[in-house]
Amino acid sequence: MSISFIPITIKPATSFQNIEEHRLLMSYSLAQYWNIPTSRPLTVSFGKIKLQVMIECSPLTKDEVFFSEGLQKELLLPLLNIKLIGSYTQKNHSLTIGPVIGLLTDLNESDENLQPNFRSIHSFCHELQEVVSDIGGFFFVFHPKDVTQEKIYGYYLQEDDWVKADLPLPDVVYNRIHSRKLEATKSLSRLKELLYQHNIPLFNDRFLSKEDVHQLLISEIHLKPHLPDTARANKETIIDFIAKYSSLFIKPIHGSQGRQIIRLTEVNNRYQAEYSSCTNNGGTRLYETPEKFIRQFYRDSKDRQYIVQQAIPLLTYKNRPLDFRVLCHKNFQEIWKATSAVARISSENQFVSNLAKGGEMMKPLSLLTQLFDRKTAIQQLALMKELAAEASSLIDQKTCGLFAELGIDIGVDEAGGLWIIEANSKPSKQSEDSLNKVRPSAKALVEYCTFLAFSKIVTREDSDDDITRNHDNE
Ligand SMILES: Nc1ncnc2c1ncn2[C@@H]1O[C@H](COP(=O)(O)OP(=O)(O)O)[C@@H](O)[C@H]1O
Ligand SMILES: [Mg+2]
């Protein structure tokens, strides 16, 4: 097997006589490096498009390859200089250029003349592009409605503008749809089916339910001490939890951003319910009995499903409870690592730490060193990262679908114990160390996409060694 990856810059050529022909021009040194025969047509793949191309050699710079206009157009490659990774496989006499990375999201294009708005991940998309430009690759953003059988009408960044164009089906898709409603539509299932048919990996392809995550983690004995007691909320379980715990949380199974959460605490034989989605004093009500609370709870809950959970006595800072968001990614060896962590401190008069509910971010070590001695603080942070990576790896293994990024909420109790509060498959990009120009997660994700895109070539080459050798099963 001989495969080698090399960054190359594709440039539109003006020197070909017939610009419509599928031709490319490369340096003698590159042709020699790849040991590429120039006498017969080469198969060039860009995303899921494949074309037969004639090669010419010329004394050029080694990493530049000129494409005829016809070739570039048919590959749906914008007529620009684009740095890509090139991989030549001798066995198939084929050149793959990419990776082509598509980000699927519920973008907003309310005014045709204005730039699209990628909402909460807009600047993150710029960062992803920056990493892709650095490593080599082609990145675009698209809405599920703009996908057809052969191509995608998506946005790529040119200078500072997002340009909408027909683009190829990519090598890999990162799902950043934030609307559970859209994610549950038929058109999205059709899109997933299309990607599946084309063998295009889609990662973080769905939301996680708080109940499922708890159930799959609790079956790991060593994680038990880190998981708050949790059950599906119903009359019996709520009564049971009230008897067992002086304070408990009730949270929507499919909730996010700290919405619709209730903290119920027994105070002098009465039951104080605090509501995260109400502000000021409307946010707290007192009930004489658990039954009265439950009656009101069912009146308010509108068929939503909830879990009931033991409240963890979280560390506080200036009397405000806090937790940590640890962002984890799968690397090219398919090992989960924590890439960043932040502390989130609930705002005053709030008991959830979510930034969407006014929570404040702090660097984890600056905070922990105010609460513990330095050595313990460093140790706690390291343990938190280990626990988050372990939880991510288990969720990835035990849930169907492919995941490459998870945001784990970790609480620390007053005795220093660590608690896994929840796992997010669409973690907010706001709750990430934003002091760097490019967030660590942008780098980690592009690296993983590149691995996914090219590992298929390696696998294909390997499988060529068996009896199905003359099938190019892409
Ligand atoms: N069992 C608990 N004990 C203490 N605080 C909790 C508990 N569950 C949630 N919280 C607080 O509420 C926040 C939101 O809860 P979470 O389960 O992460 O739901 P969401 O999906 O809305 O973020 C947490 O970040 C934490 O601040
Ligand atoms: Mg959360």
Side-chain angles (χ1 to χ4, degrees):
M1 183 172 77
S2 107
I3 306 174
S4 63
F5 301 94
I6 183 172
I8 51 174
T9 301
I10 306 295
K11 297 187 163 182
T14 45
S15 58
F16 293 114
Q17 284 196 334
N18 180 352
I19 58 168
E20 291 308 320
E21 273 179 6
H22 297 165
R23 283 183 178 274
L24 68 77
L25 193 64
M26 67 169 65
S27 62
Y28 289 111
S29 50
L30 186 58
Q32 201 171 29
Y33 173 79
W34 273 330
N35 196 11
I36 205 166
T38 51
S39 52
R40 56 197 170 98
L42 169 77
T43 308
V44 174
S45 310
F46 179 60
K48 294 292 148 183
I49 302 183
K50 253 183 197 175
L51 291 174
Q52 295 293 306
V53 182
M54 296 306 299
I55 317 173
E56 288 175 27
C57 284
S58 167
L60 300 169
T61 316
K62 184 177 173 185
D63 62 357
E64 287 179 355
V65 179
F66 286 85
F67 278 20
S68 65
E69 202 175 314
L71 173 59
Q72 215 152 338
K73 274 187 185 157
E74 242 183 275
L75 286 175
L76 300 178
L77 186 63
L79 291 170
L80 301 167
N81 295 351
I82 299 179
K83 182 174 165 188
L84 298 168
I85 296 171
S87 153
Y88 173 68
T89 57
Q90 241 163 7
K91 224 171 227 172
N92 313 326
H93 187 42
S94 71
L95 172 67
T96 302
I97 50 172
V100 182
I101 303 169
L103 184 147
L104 172 68
T105 193
D106 28 357
L107 56 91
N108 188 348
E109 36 190 12
S110 47
D111 184 337
E112 271 192 17
N113 303 315
L114 286 179
Q115 282 283 289
N117 178 358
F118 306 147
R119 301 172 195 251
S120 62
I121 54 165
H122 199 88
S123 62
F124 185 61
C125 287
H126 279 262
E127 290 168 36
L128 286 169
Q129 174 58 50
E130 201 171 321
V131 183
V132 169
S133 308
D134 212 35
I135 301 179
F138 186 73
F139 171 72
F140 68 87
V141 183
F142 67 103
H143 190 282
K145 73 174 167 44
D146 290 326
V147 180
T148 66
Q149 287 292 324
E150 298 88 33
K151 54 192 178 189
I152 294 178
Y153 195 37
Y155 290 96
Y156 67 93
L157 195 68
Q158 187 176 344
E159 313 261 305
D160 276 333
D161 285 334
W162 291 98
V163 178
K164 199 165 190 186
D166 280 337
L167 300 168
L169 294 178
D171 294 310
V172 45
V173 175
Y174 170 33
N175 181 355
R176 284 298 307 206
I177 287 187
H178 298 104
S179 148
R180 286 174 196 255
K181 234 181 174 171
L182 176 60
E183 184 122 316
T185 56
K186 275 227 171 76
S187 67
L188 211 78
S189 338
R190 274 197 297 271
L191 167 61
K192 287 183 182 178
E193 182 57 34
L194 176 80
L195 297 177
Y196 180 75
Q197 278 164 11
H198 285 274
N199 202 10
I200 300 171
L202 166 75
F203 67 86
N204 283 43
D205 73 336
R206 59 192 188 82
F207 288 95
L208 296 169
S209 106
K210 289 187 177 33
E211 190 180 34
D212 292 351
V213 168
H214 179 81
Q215 276 175 359
L216 73 86
L217 293 180
I218 200 81
S219 61
E220 297 291 319
I221 289 168
H222 67 291
L223 287 187
K224 256 192 171 154
H226 301 290
L227 292 163
D229 191 6
T230 303
R232 169 69 72 97
N234 57 40
K235 192 164 182 268
E236 288 72 40
T237 54
I238 296 174
I239 298 274
D240 180 38
F241 272 59
I242 290 176
K244 276 203 280 192
Y245 304 107
S246 55
S247 181
L248 54 91
F249 273 67
I250 300 181
K251 310 191 276 192
I253 286 178
H254 299 292
S256 64
Q257 304 193 336
R259 284 189 291 234
Q260 315 294 344
I261 295 179
I262 305 168
R263 179 169 70 175
L264 187 72
T265 310
E266 194 184 332
V267 186
N268 300 329
N269 285 333
R270 293 207 290 173
Y271 300 88
Q272 173 186 282
E274 294 157 277
Y275 297 84
S276 70
S277 288
C278 301
T279 45
N280 308 327
N281 292 337
T284 305
R285 284 185 230 158
L286 269 181
Y287 297 91
E288 302 291 326
T289 63
E291 286 73 17
K292 283 190 177 163
F293 161 74
I294 291 170
R295 232 171 287 141
Q296 186 59 41
F297 169 66
Y298 279 106
R299 270 198 290 268
D300 295 339
S301 64
K302 302 190 186 104
D303 297 334
R304 233 181 263 122
Q305 293 170 327
Y306 288 82
I307 51 167
V308 54
Q309 188 168 73
Q310 145 196 21
I312 304 302
L314 295 178
L315 287 178
T316 57
Y317 178 71
K318 297 182 181 164
N319 271 332
R320 295 146 58 191
L322 61 98
D323 67 1
F324 297 82
R325 163 58 64 86
V326 184
L327 208 50
C328 298
H329 292 91
K330 195 155 66 175
N331 71 10
F332 68 97
Q333 291 163 310
E334 307 207 66
I335 294 169
W336 282 87
K337 294 256 161 76
T339 29
S340 75
V342 289
R344 304 178 307 177
I345 304 140
S346 311
S347 72
E348 274 173 49
N349 306 321
Q350 187 51 280
F351 58 93
V352 296
S353 68
N354 305 68
L355 304 186
K357 289 283 172 209
E360 201 185 303
M361 277 204 305
M362 237 176 120
K363 280 190 167 287
L365 215 48
S366 326
L367 182 82
L368 285 166
T369 46
Q370 295 189 44
L371 304 172
F372 299 101
D373 63 76
R374 191 165 174 82
K375 192 172 158 221
T376 313
I378 292 172
Q379 223 166 30
Q380 285 289 77
L381 182 59
L383 286 174
M384 229 184 271
K385 289 184 171 177
E386 255 176 54
L387 182 63
E390 161 93 15
S392 302
S393 171
L394 286 165
I395 293 168
D396 183 31
Q397 282 165 37
K398 293 185 164 196
T399 333
C400 48
L402 184 63
F403 293 90
E405 173 178 63
L406 290 167
I408 312 291
D409 293 346
I410 306 261
V412 183
D413 65 29
E414 288 147 353
L418 302 185
W419 297 88
I420 299 171
I421 293 180
E422 73 147 350
N424 294 272
S425 61
K426 317 272 176 164
S428 149
K429 294 295 160 188
Q430 273 70 39
S431 53
E432 193 178 350
D433 184 357
S434 52
L435 296 175
N436 298 323
K437 201 165 150 240
V438 169
R439 274 168 268 222
S441 68
K443 261 189 95 185
L445 286 162
V446 172
E447 279 170 16
Y448 184 67
C449 288
T450 308
F451 154 74
L452 273 185
F454 286 110
S455 65
K456 276 189 291 157
I457 302 177
V458 177
T459 323
R460 208 164 53 226
E461 269 281 290
D462 277 344
S463 68
D464 278 354
D465 289 333
D466 66 32
I467 39 175
T468 57
R469 56 180 307 138
N470 51 8
H471 282 93
D472 187 355
N473 49 11
E474 218 181 25

